[in-house]
Amino acid sequence: MSNAAKLTRITYLVMLGLLLLAPLLGLYPVFVMKLLCFALFACAFNLLLGFTGLLSFGHAAFFGSAAYITGWFIKAQGWTPELGILAGTLVAALIGLVVGLVAIRRQGIYFAMITLALAQMVFFVCLQAPFTGGEDGLQGVPRGSLFGLFSLRSDTAMYYFVVAIFVVCFLFIARIVRSPFGQVLKMIRENEPRAISLGYQVNRYKLLAFVLSAALAGLAGSLKTVVMGFATLSDVHWSMSGEVILMTLLGGVGTFFGPAFGAGIVISLQNLLADKVGSWVTVIIGVIFVICVLTFRKGVVGEVQAFRERRRAAAKAAASSAT
């Protein structure tokens, strides 16, 4: 194992330890849970943009629709939280399949615009459907008991449940990217005509990546509903799609930890500034985004990784010249 791989593994272990100890360190569990939900959302989006090269402007459709479905099944039908989350994830995957079948026939800005248009259709369905609560949204969604046995009503129990799901999904995404399937996705991102010439069914790979990304985004939305106890139109609004793009670009597109880091920046700023500056928080985050784009073109984590690679390359060059 290389030194870089060892350092990465140690970094992840330290972060996992901090997550497990967060409630004992005085961090507000609900805030960290919300952060983890959006970190998972950003990681799901990065699977599509960072590793497949497809820019979607409509990922809020999967996040928000799953949030509503989960909230409705738990509140109105009395389902346990794991079944509600599973239902929301499956609905998001199905919507992703439908959107993907239409969108992957186009590329570039046309792909992005199709996803945005279809996401707006989902938004108006959520606005008009009788079970969503309209502009009031779904309120008072209970956390319930996991498998009917383990109560999630306490913030501590709910926190470790969310941490477990986030860690499993993070490892799942890493496994996808490192698999032969993930290598094909990277090849499609870098040079799609070459992938086609090698005989790969490019549209099938892109569709599967789109559905996986939609399902994971739906899982994030479902978790958010259970944690916060509500689902609103803001979850399915186009601005939510913009937020997840912002998170991914801030942290670093195509990196494993970058989107989660970007989500941490955005959610922390929203939490710290919302009560102090009100609606100006959007402007402040926008200014920070512009500064980061100008100074960290690859995102914060992406620039750190690029700096480490340049140092390793310089060290190798110095060693080879010395010999």
Side-chain angles (χ1 to χ4, degrees):
M1 183 183 296
S2 65
N3 292 332
K6 289 180 181 178
L7 180 60
T8 300
R9 180 168 293 185
I10 292 172
T11 302
Y12 286 151
L13 289 175
V14 170
M15 291 177 180
L16 177 59
L18 290 175
L19 279 179
L20 294 176
L21 295 175
L24 303 177
L25 297 176
L27 293 176
Y28 185 40
V30 175
F31 165 72
V32 182
M33 284 189 285
K34 180 181 178 181
L35 190 155
L36 289 176
C37 290
F38 280 94
L40 176 57
F41 186 24
C43 289
F45 179 77
N46 186 52
L47 177 63
L48 189 66
L49 175 61
F51 297 108
T52 314
L54 298 176
L55 174 60
S56 168
F57 283 164
H59 255 50
F62 316 125
F63 183 85
S65 61
Y68 274 111
I69 292 297
T70 297
W72 181 74
F73 273 119
I74 293 177
K75 181 180 180 180
Q77 305 301 315
W79 285 23
T80 53
E82 75 281 356
L83 291 179
I85 291 171
L86 179 61
T89 304
L90 289 176
V91 168
L94 289 174
I95 295 175
L97 177 61
V98 174
V99 174
L101 285 172
V102 177
I104 62 170
R105 301 175 185 273
R106 296 292 180 266
Q107 296 179 345
I109 192 63
Y110 302 104
F111 173 88
M113 289 297 101
I114 289 173
T115 58
L116 175 60
L118 295 176
Q120 285 300 99
M121 293 174 61
V122 175
F123 171 81
F124 284 112
V125 169
C126 292
L127 177 62
Q128 300 295 333
F131 72 92
T132 62
E135 295 183 355
D136 295 328
L138 282 174
Q139 306 291 333
V141 178
R143 291 180 179 176
S145 298
L146 190 63
F147 304 110
L149 301 173
F150 307 103
S151 175
L152 297 178
R153 292 176 179 84
S154 73
D155 289 340
T156 303
M158 187 72 220
Y159 174 79
Y160 286 109
F161 175 63
V162 173
V163 169
I165 291 182
F166 175 79
V167 171
V168 169
C169 290
F170 187 86
L171 294 175
F172 176 64
I173 293 173
R175 181 69 184 90
I176 290 175
V177 173
R178 294 192 176 105
S179 68
F181 171 74
Q183 299 306 311
V184 175
L185 293 182
K186 292 179 183 178
M187 181 167 57
I188 293 172
R189 178 194 64 191
E190 298 296 333
N191 195 331
E192 184 173 335
R194 183 177 182 182
I196 295 173
S197 68
L198 291 174
Y200 290 104
Q201 298 292 328
V202 169
N203 282 348
R204 291 184 181 180
Y205 282 92
K206 291 197 293 187
L207 178 61
L208 182 54
F210 195 94
V211 173
L212 286 172
S213 179
L216 290 169
L219 176 59
S222 297
L223 274 179
K224 197 268 325 178
T225 294
V226 178
V227 169
M228 306 303 293
F230 59 82
T232 63
L233 286 175
S234 61
D235 296 330
V236 75
H237 194 257
W238 64 266
S239 60
M240 184 63 71
S241 298
E243 280 193 20
V244 74
I245 295 173
L246 174 64
M247 294 171 186
T248 306
L249 293 178
L250 277 177
V253 177
T255 63
F256 286 117
F257 183 68
F261 184 81
I265 294 175
V266 173
I267 299 302
S268 297
L269 287 173
Q270 289 177 345
N271 186 69
L272 290 172
L273 300 176
D275 294 338
K276 300 176 182 178
V277 298
S279 59
W280 280 91
V281 66
T282 306
V283 177
I284 295 173
I285 292 176
V287 172
I288 293 173
F289 172 67
V290 172
I291 294 173
C292 287
V293 167
L294 293 175
T295 55
F296 304 102
R297 292 183 179 274
K298 297 180 180 180
V300 177
V301 176
E303 286 293 342
V304 171
Q305 291 184 354
F307 175 73
R308 287 170 52 190
E309 290 174 0
R310 288 195 297 269
R311 288 193 60 182
R312 286 199 300 269
K316 287 182 180 179
S320 61
S321 62
T323 57

